[in-house]
Amino acid sequence: MSELRTPRRRRSVAVAPALLDPAELPEDAPGRVKLIVVEAPADIVEAPPLTPRIAPASSPSLLAAGGGWIPVAVAGAVIVAIFIVGMLLTRS
């Protein structure tokens, strides 16, 4: 006959949380506030000079036509056409 074993209680069933050792706090910890201060370098403290920027002349392109929405519409139409052709081929 084998010995009767006492059932062990699993940790996941334990109701009480595991006890943790308290951390050591420095003596001045309760009221300590540390501020981080970063100063700007001297070369960027002044405001930049106001100079008018001239945009480079560009020729209208097909991709920029209609604010860029025409190529998106064309790509959408191509995707829908491929989908419809694919559905017709797989249904036959």
Side-chain angles (χ1 to χ4, degrees), residues 9-19:
R9 190 170 176 187
R10 294 177 47 179
R11 279 185 171 248
S12 61
V13 180
V15 177
L19 297 175

PDB file of all heavy atoms in Angstrom, residues 9-19:
ATOM      1  N   ARG A   9      -1.299  22.831  -1.849  1.00  0.00           N
ATOM      2  CA  ARG A   9      -2.056  23.946  -2.384  1.00  0.00           C
ATOM      3  C   ARG A   9      -1.230  24.633  -3.456  1.00  0.00           C
ATOM      4  O   ARG A   9      -0.065  24.958  -3.248  1.00  0.00           O
ATOM      5  CB  ARG A   9      -2.373  24.913  -1.250  1.00  0.00           C
ATOM      6  CG  ARG A   9      -3.338  25.960  -1.638  1.00  0.00           C
ATOM      7  CD  ARG A   9      -3.773  26.720  -0.425  1.00  0.00           C
ATOM      8  NE  ARG A   9      -4.636  27.799  -0.866  1.00  0.00           N
ATOM      9  CZ  ARG A   9      -5.086  28.725  -0.080  1.00  0.00           C
ATOM     10  NH1 ARG A   9      -4.776  28.706   1.188  1.00  0.00           N
ATOM     11  NH2 ARG A   9      -5.856  29.663  -0.540  1.00  0.00           N
ATOM     12  N   ARG A  10      -1.827  24.849  -4.591  1.00  0.00           N
ATOM     13  CA  ARG A  10      -1.120  25.479  -5.698  1.00  0.00           C
ATOM     14  C   ARG A  10      -1.012  26.983  -5.484  1.00  0.00           C
ATOM     15  O   ARG A  10      -1.865  27.598  -4.862  1.00  0.00           O
ATOM     16  CB  ARG A  10      -1.862  25.206  -7.007  1.00  0.00           C
ATOM     17  CG  ARG A  10      -1.831  23.747  -7.359  1.00  0.00           C
ATOM     18  CD  ARG A  10      -2.612  23.472  -8.599  1.00  0.00           C
ATOM     19  NE  ARG A  10      -2.268  24.434  -9.638  1.00  0.00           N
ATOM     20  CZ  ARG A  10      -2.780  24.421 -10.853  1.00  0.00           C
ATOM     21  NH1 ARG A  10      -3.647  23.508 -11.188  1.00  0.00           N
ATOM     22  NH2 ARG A  10      -2.441  25.312 -11.741  1.00  0.00           N
ATOM     23  N   ARG A  11       0.043  27.573  -6.025  1.00  0.00           N
ATOM     24  CA  ARG A  11       0.234  29.025  -5.878  1.00  0.00           C
ATOM     25  C   ARG A  11      -0.866  29.815  -6.567  1.00  0.00           C
ATOM     26  O   ARG A  11      -1.261  30.865  -6.115  1.00  0.00           O
ATOM     27  CB  ARG A  11       1.575  29.457  -6.461  1.00  0.00           C
ATOM     28  CG  ARG A  11       2.707  29.220  -5.549  1.00  0.00           C
ATOM     29  CD  ARG A  11       3.963  29.793  -6.194  1.00  0.00           C
ATOM     30  NE  ARG A  11       5.020  29.751  -5.233  1.00  0.00           N
ATOM     31  CZ  ARG A  11       5.563  30.826  -4.693  1.00  0.00           C
ATOM     32  NH1 ARG A  11       5.154  31.995  -5.058  1.00  0.00           N
ATOM     33  NH2 ARG A  11       6.518  30.719  -3.806  1.00  0.00           N
ATOM     34  N   SER A  12      -1.350  29.313  -7.708  1.00  0.00           N
ATOM     35  CA  SER A  12      -2.354  30.066  -8.446  1.00  0.00           C
ATOM     36  C   SER A  12      -3.677  30.134  -7.686  1.00  0.00           C
ATOM     37  O   SER A  12      -4.513  30.971  -7.971  1.00  0.00           O
ATOM     38  CB  SER A  12      -2.576  29.433  -9.820  1.00  0.00           C
ATOM     39  OG  SER A  12      -3.038  28.109  -9.657  1.00  0.00           O
ATOM     40  N   VAL A  13      -3.855  29.257  -6.711  1.00  0.00           N
ATOM     41  CA  VAL A  13      -5.078  29.249  -5.931  1.00  0.00           C
ATOM     42  C   VAL A  13      -4.943  30.158  -4.712  1.00  0.00           C
ATOM     43  O   VAL A  13      -5.939  30.545  -4.101  1.00  0.00           O
ATOM     44  CB  VAL A  13      -5.417  27.799  -5.504  1.00  0.00           C
ATOM     45  CG1 VAL A  13      -6.685  27.730  -4.690  1.00  0.00           C
ATOM     46  CG2 VAL A  13      -5.532  26.916  -6.732  1.00  0.00           C
ATOM     47  N   ALA A  14      -3.730  30.508  -4.357  1.00  0.00           N
ATOM     48  CA  ALA A  14      -3.500  31.313  -3.153  1.00  0.00           C
ATOM     49  C   ALA A  14      -4.250  32.635  -3.257  1.00  0.00           C
ATOM     50  O   ALA A  14      -4.268  33.289  -4.288  1.00  0.00           O
ATOM     51  CB  ALA A  14      -2.010  31.560  -2.966  1.00  0.00           C
ATOM     52  N   VAL A  15      -4.879  33.025  -2.157  1.00  0.00           N
ATOM     53  CA  VAL A  15      -5.659  34.259  -2.135  1.00  0.00           C
ATOM     54  C   VAL A  15      -4.780  35.452  -1.796  1.00  0.00           C
ATOM     55  O   VAL A  15      -4.918  36.523  -2.376  1.00  0.00           O
ATOM     56  CB  VAL A  15      -6.818  34.124  -1.113  1.00  0.00           C
ATOM     57  CG1 VAL A  15      -7.584  35.417  -1.017  1.00  0.00           C
ATOM     58  CG2 VAL A  15      -7.716  32.972  -1.485  1.00  0.00           C
ATOM     59  N   ALA A  16      -3.868  35.281  -0.874  1.00  0.00           N
ATOM     60  CA  ALA A  16      -3.025  36.392  -0.439  1.00  0.00           C
ATOM     61  C   ALA A  16      -1.926  36.642  -1.472  1.00  0.00           C
ATOM     62  O   ALA A  16      -1.392  35.709  -2.063  1.00  0.00           O
ATOM     63  CB  ALA A  16      -2.401  36.077   0.911  1.00  0.00           C
ATOM     64  N   PRO A  17      -1.591  37.912  -1.730  1.00  0.00           N
ATOM     65  CA  PRO A  17      -0.506  38.191  -2.671  1.00  0.00           C
ATOM     66  C   PRO A  17       0.841  37.813  -2.072  1.00  0.00           C
ATOM     67  O   PRO A  17       0.987  37.689  -0.854  1.00  0.00           O
ATOM     68  CB  PRO A  17      -0.609  39.702  -2.878  1.00  0.00           C
ATOM     69  CG  PRO A  17      -1.273  40.201  -1.652  1.00  0.00           C
ATOM     70  CD  PRO A  17      -2.195  39.116  -1.199  1.00  0.00           C
ATOM     71  N   ALA A  18       1.810  37.612  -2.923  1.00  0.00           N
ATOM     72  CA  ALA A  18       3.157  37.285  -2.457  1.00  0.00           C
ATOM     73  C   ALA A  18       3.728  38.469  -1.690  1.00  0.00           C
ATOM     74  O   ALA A  18       3.491  39.629  -2.027  1.00  0.00           O
ATOM     75  CB  ALA A  18       4.035  36.951  -3.646  1.00  0.00           C
ATOM     76  N   LEU A  19       4.460  38.172  -0.650  1.00  0.00           N
ATOM     77  CA  LEU A  19       5.052  39.241   0.153  1.00  0.00           C
ATOM     78  C   LEU A  19       6.316  39.750  -0.528  1.00  0.00           C
ATOM     79  O   LEU A  19       7.144  38.971  -0.994  1.00  0.00           O
ATOM     80  CB  LEU A  19       5.383  38.719   1.548  1.00  0.00           C
ATOM     81  CG  LEU A  19       4.178  38.265   2.366  1.00  0.00           C
ATOM     82  CD1 LEU A  19       4.648  37.658   3.687  1.00  0.00           C
ATOM     83  CD2 LEU A  19       3.249  39.424   2.630  1.00  0.00           C
TER      84      LEU A  19
END
